[in-house]
Amino acid sequence: MRILQIAVLLWALDLTGSVVPAAAQEHASGPPARRLRLFLDCSDDVCDFDYLKREMAWVDWVRDRADADVNVLVTTRDTGADGTEATFFVMRPRGGGPSADTLVVFSPSTASEDDERKLIHRTLAALIARDAITRPGAEGLNVSFVNPDESSDTHGVAVKDPWNHWVYKLSTNGYLNGEKSYRSISLYSALSGTRVTEANKVGASVSQNYSQNEYEFDNGSRFTSVTRSWSARGQWVRSFSPKWSAGFSTGAYSSSFSNTDRSIRIGPALEYDFFPYSESSRRSLTLGYQINLSQVHYEMETLYGKLSEELVAQELDMSMALRHPWGTVDVRASLNQYLHDPSKYRVTTSGSFDLKLWKGFSLGGYGFVARIRDQLSLPRGDATNTEVLARRRQLATAFQYSTSFGISYSFGSIFDSVVNQRLQNTFGGI
């Protein structure tokens, strides 16, 4: 990581002997009369804006990219070792460097939130250093580097991995909520192991969930609702080219809500990305197909008179994701169909968007809709009122949907550099 930091800093200050960009040459003849204006397009989960604004007070932060000299879009992806890959896309409509460039940095799974925000700060500062060097106040710009421990691996020497890229994760959590006449308990635990390289991806996981709700009525009687589930799955994925991949998956699960005592499935899959997978943090358009063979045992006899059965199903998926300065768009559609009876199928479509249409105006929304014709596990007989109200049993339905929509418009000062947290915890946000 320290090697990367050195390279970034040298690159940012143009000390490698490369030709100074044309935009920078223009500034050399007459430096701008104001400080650099920066717009950072990054989710609050990734970027700590209060921290960044305090640490980078030498730029003017603006609320809209149309007012910025430099726009930076930050996208992230999970790495195979449960770390994070952050990609910085830099656009300079009025900056001092090239019109656009890209930089990728990595944060390990062991990094704390403070480590991650410091990495983002160092990367962002290095990226725009050359844009600020010709601006007012540039005399205060300095680059320093703390000499690393000589015993550490800072020279790019290959280090033997005793775990051979395998990463394991164990998690468990509990939830308790209640009052005089109601109590809710939920317990969840999971174990996973993954090995991810450029050529292959192998992983397996197991999990279980237990939920219990107790109600006490005025007459002193009690009602208890319990749902249980567990699942296990494994997968192997092989990369064949920048756009093609194939794999094999297997899984098992049990769910009292779905009337499934146990279900075991196995099957292959194939996927094609119209863009190279290396660009997936910014854009992807994938088409995937898989076939699954399942053996299912039910807790109660189903509507179709089955206590167990073997099923073969096919699934076709299409997914599109775009991350650009003008906003984000995610769309997915899938078709799942049983081959023994094509009339048993499910079509699902979902999408979300967050668009910056023009200065100060944003449009966002989410939608999900499903056409359902594949509820083979529904138990015979009507559900009781308590089973319906407590959600203990899956009910017959022909569709599901959910949606949300919102617009926002902001106006006034273009600057957004001031941080003031006084009484934030007492009053909350405005």
Side-chain angles (χ1 to χ4, degrees):
M1 180 63 72
R2 296 186 184 276
I3 292 288
L4 174 62
Q5 293 168 0
I6 295 173
V8 169
L9 292 172
L10 291 176
W11 167 86
L13 295 178
D14 231 355
L15 299 180
T16 59
S18 59
V19 178
V20 179
Q25 294 175 0
E26 293 175 2
H27 287 313
S29 61
R34 58 174 175 78
R35 298 203 308 174
L36 185 73
R37 293 179 179 178
L38 172 67
F39 175 75
L40 178 61
D41 190 352
C42 181
S43 69
D44 293 335
D45 295 336
V46 175
C47 295
D48 185 340
F49 281 88
D50 288 351
Y51 172 81
L52 292 173
K53 289 174 184 178
R54 286 192 177 102
E55 294 296 319
M56 298 181 62
W58 43 275
V59 301
D60 287 330
W61 293 76
V62 294
R63 295 187 300 104
D64 195 281
R65 61 188 176 93
D67 297 311
D69 300 313
V70 179
N71 305 324
V72 181
L73 170 65
V74 181
T75 63
T76 61
R77 297 190 301 182
D78 294 334
T79 66
D82 204 25
T84 303
E85 174 200 84
T87 303
F88 291 71
F89 301 99
V90 186
M91 291 137 286
R92 296 180 170 89
R94 292 177 293 276
S99 60
D101 59 20
T102 303
L103 184 65
V104 180
V105 297
F106 296 90
S107 175
S109 60
T110 55
S112 66
E113 291 185 5
D114 187 54
D115 292 333
E116 292 176 345
R117 69 178 186 175
K118 286 180 178 177
L119 174 61
I120 291 176
H121 166 231
R122 291 195 302 270
T123 306
L124 188 61
L127 280 169
I128 64 173
R130 64 169 124 188
D131 299 288
I133 197 65
T134 60
R135 302 275 177 166
E139 62 276 4
L141 178 61
N142 293 291
V143 177
S144 61
F145 188 81
V146 179
N147 290 327
D149 184 356
E150 293 297 333
S151 63
S152 63
D153 174 36
T154 59
H155 304 289
V157 179
V159 179
K160 183 178 180 179
D161 182 3
W163 293 96
N164 193 25
H165 296 288
W166 278 98
V167 177
Y168 302 93
K169 184 176 182 180
L170 174 64
S171 61
T172 183
N173 60 71
Y175 173 80
L176 175 64
N177 180 36
E179 54 187 48
K180 181 180 179 180
S181 58
Y182 169 75
R183 184 176 69 172
S184 175
I185 301 174
S186 178
L187 299 172
Y188 172 82
S189 58
L191 171 66
S192 66
T194 58
R195 183 180 186 273
V196 180
T197 66
E198 290 293 334
N200 295 286
K201 180 168 65 175
V202 182
S205 66
V206 293
S207 65
Q208 71 81 33
N209 188 66
Y210 174 86
S211 180
Q212 177 179 311
N213 295 279
E214 296 183 1
Y215 307 86
E216 182 177 349
F217 303 104
D218 292 339
N219 60 8
S221 62
R222 291 176 177 268
F223 171 72
T224 301
S225 172
V226 176
T227 57
R228 298 180 178 87
S229 66
W230 61 263
S231 66
R233 61 191 183 94
Q235 62 176 230
W236 170 79
V237 178
R238 174 71 176 176
S239 304
F240 288 104
S241 75
K243 296 184 178 183
W244 281 101
S245 61
F248 192 83
S249 69
T250 182
Y253 81 94
S254 173
S255 171
S256 60
F257 177 77
S258 300
N259 187 35
T260 303
D261 181 59
R262 66 183 183 277
S263 173
I264 302 173
R265 64 167 179 82
I266 192 170
L270 184 69
E271 185 182 75
Y272 177 77
D273 194 338
F274 292 87
F275 303 107
Y277 283 103
S278 59
E279 301 178 12
S280 61
S281 66
R282 193 174 189 185
R283 60 177 183 172
S284 66
L285 178 59
T286 61
L287 186 64
Y289 179 78
Q290 62 177 313
I291 294 180
N292 286 312
L293 173 63
S294 303
Q295 185 179 61
V296 189
H297 296 267
Y298 303 108
E299 292 183 347
M300 296 181 289
E301 185 178 348
T302 69
L303 287 172
Y304 304 96
K306 301 284 189 177
L307 284 173
S308 65
E309 59 183 327
E310 293 184 351
L311 302 168
V312 180
Q314 64 177 350
E315 182 171 339
L316 181 66
D317 296 280
M318 185 180 71
S319 178
M320 181 183 71
L322 301 175
R323 304 286 187 277
H324 288 283
W326 45 259
T328 62
V329 176
D330 288 278
V331 179
R332 178 173 180 177
S334 65
L335 166 66
N336 192 299
Q337 184 180 49
Y338 289 105
L339 298 185
H340 75 283
D341 185 354
S343 66
K344 301 297 185 292
Y345 66 90
R346 178 177 303 214
V347 178
T348 303
T349 304
S350 62
S352 63
F353 62 92
D354 183 12
L355 307 178
K356 312 295 191 292
L357 297 182
W358 58 81
K359 184 176 179 178
F361 187 86
S362 298
L363 176 66
Y366 166 81
F368 165 85
V369 62
R371 178 70 168 174
I372 301 173
R373 288 289 187 271
D374 63 347
Q375 292 181 291
L376 301 184
S377 64
L378 290 176
R380 185 184 296 273
D382 296 330
T384 64
N385 290 336
T386 53
E387 287 178 326
V388 174
L389 294 175
R391 297 286 294 172
R392 293 179 58 185
R393 176 170 159 179
Q394 190 177 43
L395 303 177
T397 183
F399 60 89
Q400 290 179 338
Y401 67 90
S402 64
T403 185
S404 63
F405 177 79
I407 59 174
S408 65
Y409 179 66
S410 60
F411 55 93
S413 173
I414 67 172
F415 298 104
D416 190 25
S417 301
V418 178
V419 178
N420 188 335
Q421 295 292 317
R422 292 173 177 83
L423 284 178
Q424 179 79 16
N425 296 328
T426 302
F427 288 158
I430 298 178

